[in-house]
């Protein structure tokens, strides 16, 4: 094996290792995010019913205890508002908004990596394709038209196309996984907004009745 062939094979191995690494990272991030989203979910309907009952009865401490027991993204945000229950509506909203930003950031953590992998994996595969074509044309140039080795040129072309296919094989599932996570997070955000709005109304109505 000549030195140029050795370097070419080494380059291809590095490219395949990078693509496999991207694949493993993408899979790991997706599974980790799924587990985290699962942990963050609660039974929203049951939660709202319990909150409505305890808040209207004036049991704010009990309501906070329910949030702590249920945990989850929405429960944490509502807890932040309940702690400020005797403040103005704007202060309650601000407390929930700040808590919401923190919780949403936790949900989105690492998800962007899937988008990055989906973008760079085809480029890495394309780099392998370019190297393969360079090797093929190099074989043609050094061998001349008479002694061209069809086998070696075919191998170079095969590796070139395989790297592109490998890059796409990683990118396609990654972008699907990313969009799935984004849709789940958007669903969470909608739930957060509707639930927070209802709890704020309950708290402010209760305070108005109390002062009245």
């Amino acid at each position: 094996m000549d030195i140029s062939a050795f370097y070419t094979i080494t380059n291809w191995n590095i490219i395949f290792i990078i693509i496999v690494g991207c694949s493993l990272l993408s899979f790991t991030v997706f599974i980790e995010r799924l587990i985290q989203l699962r942990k963050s979910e609660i039974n929203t309907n049951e939660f709202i019913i319990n909150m409505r009952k305890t808040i209207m009865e004036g049991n704010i401490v009990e309501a906070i205890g329910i949030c702590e027991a249920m945990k989850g993204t929405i429960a944490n945000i509502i807890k932040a508002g309940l702690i400020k229950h005797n403040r103005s509506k704007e202060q309650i909203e601000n407390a929930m908004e700040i808590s919401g930003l923190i919780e949403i950031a936790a949900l989105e953590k690492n998800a962007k990596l899937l988008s990055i992998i989906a973008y760079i994996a085809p480029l890495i595969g394309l780099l392998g394709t370019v190297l393969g074509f360079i090797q093929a044309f190099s074989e043609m140039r050094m061998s001349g038209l008479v002694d061209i080795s069809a086998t070696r040129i075919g191998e170079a072309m095969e590796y070139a196309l395989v790297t592109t296919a490998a890059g796409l094989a990683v990118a396609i599932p990654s972008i699907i996984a990313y969009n799935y996570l984004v849709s789940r997070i958007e669903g969470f955000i909608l739930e957060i907004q509707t639930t927070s709005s209802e709890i704020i109304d309950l708290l402010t109505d209760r305070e108005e009745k109390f002062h009245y």
Side-chain angles (χ1 to χ4, degrees), residues 42-59:
I42 62 171
N43 188 329
T44 308
N45 292 330
E46 180 185 348
F47 177 71
I48 291 175
I49 291 170
N50 290 335
M51 285 293 103
R52 188 182 294 119
K53 181 176 180 294
T54 53
I55 290 171
M56 295 308 295
E57 290 175 353
N59 297 325

Side-chain angles (χ1 to χ4, degrees), residues 100-178:
L101 291 173
I102 294 170
E103 293 293 330
I104 291 168
L107 292 176
E108 293 176 340
K109 182 183 177 183
N110 296 331
K112 193 68 177 176
L113 279 173
L114 292 173
S115 177
I116 295 171
I117 291 170
Y119 180 75
I120 65 171
L123 296 179
I124 296 169
L126 183 60
L127 175 61
T129 298
V130 171
L131 291 174
F133 278 107
I134 289 173
Q135 175 64 15
F137 286 119
S138 177
E139 289 288 343
M140 292 179 187
R141 179 178 57 81
M142 290 187 296
S143 302
L145 294 176
V146 179
D147 300 322
I148 292 177
S149 173
T151 300
R152 294 185 64 178
I153 292 173
E155 287 176 353
M157 300 291 281
E158 181 182 0
Y159 273 109
L161 296 175
V162 166
T163 55
T164 297
L168 291 173
V170 173
I172 293 170
S174 295
I175 198 66
I176 293 172
Y178 174 71

Side-chain angles (χ1 to χ4, degrees), residues 1-26:
M1 180 184 295
D2 58 34
I3 191 69
S4 63
F6 172 78
Y7 283 126
T8 302
I9 292 171
T10 301
N11 289 335
W12 280 329
N13 287 338
I14 292 172
I15 288 169
F16 277 122
I17 289 170
I18 294 172
I19 291 174
V20 170
C22 288
S23 176
L24 293 174
L25 179 60
S26 177

Side-chain angles (χ1 to χ4, degrees), residues 28-46:
T28 303
V29 169
F30 180 62
I31 296 300
E32 185 270 335
R33 286 295 87 196
L34 278 183
I35 294 171
Q36 186 60 39
L37 287 171
R38 184 78 176 179
K39 288 180 179 178
S40 301
E41 289 179 340
I42 62 171
N43 188 329
T44 308
N45 292 330
E46 180 185 348

